[in-house]
Amino acid sequence: MTTGTRPRLRFAPSPTGYLHVGGARTALFNWLYARKFGGEFLLRIEDTDKARSTDESTRAIFEGMEWLGLLWDDGVVYQGANLARHQADAKKLLDSGAAYRCFCTPAELDTRRREAESRKEAFKYDRRCERLPREEVERRVAAGEPYVVRFRVPEGTTEWDDMVHERIAFPNKDIEDFVILRSDGTPIYNLAVVSDDIAMRITIVMRGDDHISNTPKQILLYRALGASLPTFAHLPMIHGLDGKKLSKRHGATAVGDYQHYGLLPGALLNFLALLGWSPGGDREIMTIPEMVELFSVDGLQKKAAIFDPQKLEWMNGQHLSMIPLEELEPRVTPAIVTARLATEEELVERRDWYLRLLDLLRVRSRTIDDIVRQAGPYFLEDIEYDPVAVAKSWKDPAEASALLRATREALAKVPDWQTEPLETSLRTLAESRGITAGKVFQPLRVALTGLMVSPGIFEMLIQMGRDLSLKRIDKALTALDG
RNA sequence: GGCGCUAUCGUCUAGGGGACUAGGACGGGGCCCUCUCAAGGCCCAAACACGGGUUCGAAUCCCGUUAGCGCUACCA
């Protein structure tokens, strides 16, 4: 264990897809730990599987991390660039006798594995190449026969104190002599990881608990390489609603999906943090700085958590209402522009009005898209009338028309377009007609927005302004009378 | 199959031997507020997997059972 020095952690995704929410959560915990305890958070791209790694995936990972605000210290480490060191480490192990050459071919291994399975036995490499005479090994190497390098697993037990779990122990007899270098000379995961983590001076390896069974192998490698061990922390998995490991068939699993769906990064992070960690007590809604402040290893969960999209949406709604309008604005504006409701310039021109609108709409929204969906009537020249709204609130066209006409007259006479006088005017109108105020408001709502639901009627009148409000009523009258 | 990890409401969790009639949140149901929808407030239903111990006393500690999940490649 390294103590006294600043902790160094890393997030090490393989670029074989998108940035997965599970990966994002692993990154988050690493990042939180580094921020909380004054350490370094590094990013390493594990691209040694050339068949599956793509530049596009690498870019997606960067984008996802940046959007989430999980920024890394120092430059990105590309594992593929460290081939020479990986090979040198393998050579070191070969020279010290900690590893040996194995000439068994994949086909042979496969056959033996199948045989073992058909006998219902656990397959484990039988070490037949381990005791090959030196002369034979040299002869076969000289003859150009392909070979892999295998690690010679010693006797005993390999164990460690996990930060999340307690002590975890594996009898070495259950670990086979695993391959560390392929026949083409490239490293296998466990070697590459250990070699890089040593080189990067990583002190805490925090990752998904699907790596628990790799850990004893890696510990053995650290020892054989003469390096000191990092502290291991194995985080629980995230499962889908069916209890299985989260995958594509569970729907949206990429961080980018949620970005496009209109979520706030702070909300996604808050939700992910609570999936596998608790600050203790009843605390739920947290900003990123608050999460850093509250973070501790004690609150880390051992049990896999199920990803519940409903709670995520609720949480996003909370964040939407909570963050400063100035912070919300730049996240909504691109969506407004994309929806062709307004140009960025128009929004800048009417900034105060625009911020007030956002404030009106966000309380009844769970996503940024919800806000955009409600924003139409405030920007567009023409609105569409929702058939259901028309059927319900303009049930009798003649009656609705008469009422709206009276409403228009009353509103037109209001000298000061403010809540108080507007409210007095409409309530007086209702009273004089012997109907409840709601009976006046609802047809007006449909005239103004074309919809059944909206913010409060006076808030809307003010937000739309006198001219647009009256114009909307005129158009409604045309539609009703026509 | 072998090895490993895990086990509190449907879900996320609080709880770290007596404060538990097991608390909060999402979701569900009801009520209030109210011009609609939200938001908010109040209330209801809903859990310690099972079996043994340890102890005066277990959701909390130990051991089994069961179940779920993960790993079991010349993938990462």
Side-chain angles (χ1 to χ4, degrees):
Chain A
M1 313 278 159
T2 311
T3 52
T5 49
R6 302 272 74 97
R8 287 171 69 84
L9 300 94
R10 82 319 193 260
F11 174 52
S14 52
T16 54
Y18 308 96
L19 177 59
H20 191 273
V21 290
R25 193 192 55 160
T26 300
L28 170 64
F29 286 141
N30 276 281
W31 183 87
L32 282 174
Y33 192 100
R35 290 291 87 91
K36 168 80 180 192
F37 300 108
E40 304 276 319
F41 172 66
L42 278 21
L43 178 62
R44 181 171 74 223
I45 301 293
E46 308 217 320
D47 53 357
T48 51
D49 182 354
K50 294 184 199 78
R52 295 197 301 155
S53 300
T54 66
D55 290 346
E56 195 194 335
S57 296
T58 304
R59 270 197 304 278
I61 290 166
F62 292 160
E63 273 171 32
M65 298 280 288
E66 280 163 5
W67 178 69
L68 288 169
L70 263 23
L71 302 183
W72 52 94
D73 303 305
D74 300 345
V76 176
V77 174
Y78 290 90
Q79 190 159 65
N82 299 324
L83 177 65
R85 171 164 38 70
H86 300 152
Q87 291 173 330
D89 281 340
K91 176 101 183 354
K92 245 163 89 177
L93 295 174
L94 222 35
D95 290 347
S96 71
Y100 59 91
R101 293 179 176 82
C102 169
F103 297 92
C104 299
T105 66
E108 287 166 5
L109 257 12
D110 202 47
T111 309
R112 279 185 247 159
R113 210 181 328 262
R114 272 188 228 283
E115 282 168 7
E117 268 168 29
S118 68
R119 287 194 308 268
K120 290 187 135 186
E121 281 170 22
F123 175 78
K124 189 179 149 195
Y125 179 64
D126 60 7
R127 292 192 147 166
R128 65 177 61 184
C129 292
E130 191 217 0
R131 299 219 173 268
L132 254 26
R134 170 182 293 265
E135 306 75 46
E136 184 183 341
V137 171
E138 282 170 2
R139 180 175 50 75
R140 293 171 78 168
V141 170
E145 199 175 320
Y147 63 86
V148 298
V149 177
R150 278 186 191 272
F151 184 78
R152 177 181 281 117
V153 175
E155 306 270 290
T157 300
T158 303
E159 46 195 324
W160 74 96
D161 288 308
D162 200 271
M163 278 180 102
V164 177
H165 301 269
E166 293 155 19
R167 177 152 275 248
I168 300 178
F170 283 79
N172 290 7
K173 66 173 175 53
D174 293 329
I175 308 169
E176 70 170 356
D177 284 356
F178 53 97
V179 175
I180 56 175
L181 213 58
R182 296 186 183 89
S183 51
D184 68 357
T186 58
I188 287 292
Y189 174 71
N190 284 124
L191 204 223
V193 165
V194 170
S195 180
D196 287 354
D197 282 338
I198 293 171
M200 291 165 76
R201 305 192 319 281
I202 298 300
T203 63
I204 298 175
V205 172
M206 193 184 280
R207 75 240 291 198
D209 69 13
D210 48 343
H211 285 288
I212 285 180
S213 45
N214 280 320
T215 305
K217 297 177 183 174
Q218 294 179 192
I219 288 174
L220 258 14
L221 285 173
Y222 274 95
R223 292 209 184 111
L225 252 12
S228 58
L229 289 178
T231 301
F232 292 96
H234 287 96
L235 275 3
M237 303 271 86
I238 296 180
H239 289 167
L241 261 4
D242 60 356
K244 299 272 197 288
K245 193 171 165 181
L246 202 61
S247 72
K248 296 263 194 302
R249 66 198 166 74
H250 290 107
T253 51
V255 168
D257 292 340
Y258 291 97
Q259 178 181 357
H260 300 305
Y261 181 53
L263 288 208
L264 258 15
L268 217 210
L269 253 17
N270 189 171
F271 175 73
L272 255 17
L274 256 26
L275 239 44
W277 174 72
S278 165
D282 297 336
R283 195 67 189 279
E284 295 233 68
I285 303 295
M286 292 171 278
T287 63
I288 294 165
E290 285 169 340
M291 283 189 260
V292 172
E293 174 62 32
L294 262 17
F295 185 76
S296 87
V297 173
D298 301 331
L300 253 18
Q301 208 68 23
K302 296 185 183 75
K303 189 183 69 164
I306 290 174
F307 190 96
D308 179 3
Q310 274 190 315
K311 185 154 186 177
L312 206 208
E313 278 203 18
W314 166 79
M315 188 160 279
N316 197 61
Q318 295 291 309
H319 279 256
L320 230 38
S321 293
M322 174 183 85
I323 64 174
L325 279 173
E326 295 69 36
E327 206 175 301
L328 179 62
E329 182 272 313
R331 316 219 82 116
V332 180
T333 299
I336 295 271
V337 173
T338 302
R340 313 183 67 104
L341 293 177
T343 64
E344 202 158 344
E345 292 69 37
E346 287 164 348
L347 297 176
V348 170
E349 249 170 60
R350 307 203 275 170
R351 184 175 167 83
D352 289 345
W353 173 87
Y354 176 45
L355 292 184
R356 232 171 28 240
L357 177 65
L358 292 183
D359 204 24
L360 237 40
L361 301 184
R362 66 172 171 174
V363 66
R364 55 210 101 220
S365 302
R366 289 199 154 186
T367 65
I368 288 168
D369 293 15
D370 282 344
I371 294 181
V372 176
R373 270 193 286 277
Q374 296 176 77
Y378 305 86
F379 290 102
L380 270 15
E381 184 61 29
D382 289 309
I383 55 169
E384 281 175 19
Y385 299 106
D386 170 24
V388 177
V390 170
K392 282 197 128 173
S393 300
W394 293 351
K395 198 168 183 172
D396 179 340
E399 197 180 305
S401 175
L403 180 58
L404 276 177
R405 210 171 294 279
T407 303
R408 191 206 189 282
E409 254 173 60
L411 288 176
K413 275 188 280 189
V414 173
D416 190 14
W417 202 259
Q418 296 296 325
T419 306
E420 297 271 315
L422 287 170
E423 184 153 7
T424 307
S425 162
L426 292 190
R427 287 196 189 277
T428 305
L429 172 69
E431 215 172 306
S432 72
R433 300 194 132 229
I435 55 176
T436 60
K439 288 275 191 290
V440 175
F441 298 165
Q442 201 55 19
L444 175 57
R445 185 187 317 282
V446 177
L448 294 175
T449 64
L451 305 170
M452 283 286 285
V453 305
S454 81
I457 203 80
F458 305 108
E459 289 170 316
M460 269 201 308
L461 285 168
I462 287 168
Q463 191 65 25
M464 287 184 175
R466 189 176 191 274
D467 293 351
L468 181 58
S469 298
L470 295 180
K471 200 160 82 185
R472 282 272 160 83
I473 299 173
D474 290 337
K475 289 205 175 187
L477 287 168
T478 309
L480 276 165
D481 299 342

